[in-house]
Amino acid sequence: SLKVLNPINAPDDWEKAMLLEFEAGKQEATTFTKMEGQEVFRLMRPFHTKPGCLYCHAHQGYKEGEVRGGISVSIPLAPYRAIEKRSLRILQYTHLFFWASGLFIICLSFYRNKKRLTLRQAADNLLREQSGKIELFAYSVAHDLKNPVIAIHGLAKILNKRHLDGLDDKARGYCVQIEKSAEQVSALVDQINAFISSKEQPLYKEPLNLLDICHAVRAENEERLRARNITWHEPPADVIIEADRLVILRIIRNLVDNALKYGGDALSTITITHEESNTFHTISLSNDGKALGQNDCRNIFLIYKRHCPDRKVEGTGLGLAIVKDLVGLHGGQVWVNSDGKKGVTFSFTIAKSMA
């Protein structure tokens, strides 16, 4: 109190200052300071004069409601600082543990990913090497088969032409069968070579008129179209695309050949159309011949996958697989649509930009 009755209750300098602030209306005072060399926390609140206080302190001039004094508490902070230090140490150890664990996991993941990448690269290299060997072997076999097949075919034709009168009907049938088989093997060899080259040949892109390509393919098949009275429809105007001429020619040639082979007797019309978007040219070849089932539409572009069960229809099962690879060289896709009742439409895209 500022009006001390017992000297032992005399306020120190900080308490005096706070009592004056209490008289001005302050309700609580706190501070961190040092007492006798130790850090302490000090808390002080005021005592207000109540009616019962006046029995003993009225002679000091206090009135009801006035600040009569205050109570001050000093708490040593050393035990709390020790707790704080211990908590901080635990927190540091916890953070260090999680940091080390995270670093270990990152290093382990990096090591595993690096090992996995190394294994994948090794597998890719081995696959490329084996694929190159297989392609070389296939090309070598196809090349070595070509000459004997041509010789067999030629000899069968000579035998059938020059010695036809000396052969009975059975022998003549054998000659015809040998000649057709030789033609089929020769076609298969040509398709194998085409399939291999489609994966390796570089692209020579240039501006092409799609109508010129259509005219060239039509000229190649003019006799077959005329013999079967098939109507041919092309895009109505010049269409310029940026592509490899030989590749586009082979794609359309294979699709037309597929239509002529598998369209059946109902085939009467072949139609080539073109659509264009900001990123692709879409070329479609439709025919009104024999339809395809859903399962055939899904598997038709697989290698050696024939959708015609009739063995009298010649085919190697490579033509549409070659189309798929050639379209892929131009950054496009190929697909087929059929309602299962009549007609088939093959469509493929050519990317305007390969970037």
Side-chain angles (χ1 to χ4, degrees):
S1 174
L2 294 175
K3 299 177 181 179
V4 181
L5 292 179
N6 188 348
I8 196 172
N9 294 327
D12 58 20
D13 294 339
W14 179 75
E15 290 171 335
K16 287 180 182 179
M18 293 304 103
L19 287 171
L20 293 175
E21 291 187 14
F22 289 157
E23 291 180 354
K26 189 172 183 177
Q27 297 298 317
E28 185 178 275
T30 59
T31 186
F32 290 93
T33 185
K34 284 191 175 182
M35 297 178 65
E36 298 178 358
Q38 292 186 355
E39 186 181 14
V40 296
F41 170 74
R42 302 194 70 180
L43 170 67
M44 187 174 179
R45 289 181 177 177
F47 277 155
H48 294 277
T49 304
K50 295 182 179 180
C53 300
L54 295 177
Y55 291 110
C56 298
H57 298 281
H59 67 282
Q60 292 178 285
Y62 290 115
K63 296 180 180 180
E64 185 177 348
E66 290 182 340
V67 176
R68 181 170 56 84
I71 182 169
S72 176
V73 178
S74 298
I75 303 174
L77 292 180
Y80 299 98
R81 292 298 186 191
I83 295 173
E84 179 187 35
K85 188 175 181 180
R86 186 166 56 253
S87 299
L88 287 175
R89 187 179 296 111
I90 294 173
L91 187 62
Q92 289 173 349
Y93 288 155
T94 303
H95 280 76
L96 180 62
F97 170 76
F98 284 112
W99 177 82
S101 299
L103 183 61
F104 173 76
I105 293 173
I106 291 173
C107 292
L108 182 61
S109 300
F110 176 78
Y111 171 76
R112 288 184 175 178
N113 289 336
K114 185 177 180 181
K115 185 177 181 180
R116 191 180 296 114
L117 181 61
T118 302
L119 292 175
R120 181 178 298 175
Q121 289 176 343
D124 289 343
N125 293 335
L126 180 61
L127 181 61
R128 280 193 294 268
E129 182 182 350
Q130 296 297 329
S131 178
K133 290 180 180 179
I134 292 173
E135 288 181 3
L136 181 61
F137 174 76
Y139 183 80
S140 176
V141 170
H143 181 270
D144 292 342
L145 280 176
K146 186 72 174 179
N147 290 335
V149 168
I150 293 175
I152 293 172
H153 183 261
L155 292 173
K157 288 185 69 176
I158 292 173
L159 184 62
N160 201 14
K161 183 177 181 180
R162 296 183 181 179
H163 304 282
L164 184 63
D165 296 336
L167 300 175
D168 57 19
D169 292 340
K170 194 172 185 180
R172 291 172 187 172
Y174 288 155
C175 287
V176 173
Q177 187 175 352
I178 292 171
E179 191 173 341
K180 287 186 176 181
S181 297
E183 290 176 354
Q184 290 178 359
V185 174
S186 180
L188 176 59
V189 170
D190 290 338
Q191 289 284 49
I192 291 175
N193 289 333
F195 182 73
I196 295 172
S197 63
S198 69
K199 296 177 176 294
E200 298 178 345
Q201 67 179 27
L203 291 180
Y204 298 97
K205 299 183 71 174
E206 58 181 325
L208 301 177
N209 190 332
L210 182 60
L211 279 179
D212 291 341
I213 302 295
C214 293
H215 291 161
V217 176
R218 178 178 180 176
E220 293 175 1
N221 296 278
E222 187 68 35
E223 292 185 7
R224 299 167 73 186
L225 295 171
R226 188 185 302 112
R228 298 172 61 179
N229 197 26
I230 296 174
T231 304
W232 178 278
H233 297 287
E234 300 170 346
D238 289 344
V239 176
I240 304 301
I241 61 176
E242 190 83 13
D244 186 300
R245 179 181 179 81
L246 294 179
V247 170
I248 299 301
L249 186 62
R250 183 178 291 173
I251 291 173
I252 296 180
R253 179 187 292 146
N254 283 12
L255 292 178
V256 171
D257 183 66
N258 185 82
L260 292 173
K261 283 182 179 178
Y262 303 110
D265 296 334
L267 177 63
S268 63
T269 303
I270 293 177
T271 303
I272 300 176
T273 59
H274 169 268
E275 295 180 0
E276 186 175 356
S277 67
N278 293 331
T279 54
F280 290 98
H281 294 281
T282 301
I283 301 170
S284 298
L285 190 146
S286 303
N287 70 77
D288 61 349
K290 191 178 297 184
L292 288 176
Q294 292 184 355
N295 189 57
D296 290 328
C297 290
R298 286 193 296 268
N299 301 323
I300 197 169
F301 296 103
L302 299 178
I303 185 172
Y304 298 126
K305 189 69 177 180
R306 286 167 49 97
H307 63 273
C308 179
D310 188 356
R311 292 299 171 182
K312 294 181 180 180
V313 179
E314 297 180 359
T316 62
L318 284 172
L320 295 180
I322 292 173
V323 167
K324 181 179 179 181
D325 285 339
L326 293 177
V327 170
L329 293 176
H330 282 81
Q333 294 182 330
V334 61
W335 64 95
V336 60
N337 291 316
S338 179
D339 60 6
K341 298 178 181 178
K342 182 179 181 180
V344 178
T345 298
F346 286 90
S347 302
F348 65 94
T349 55
I350 299 296
K352 290 185 175 180
S353 174
M354 297 292 287

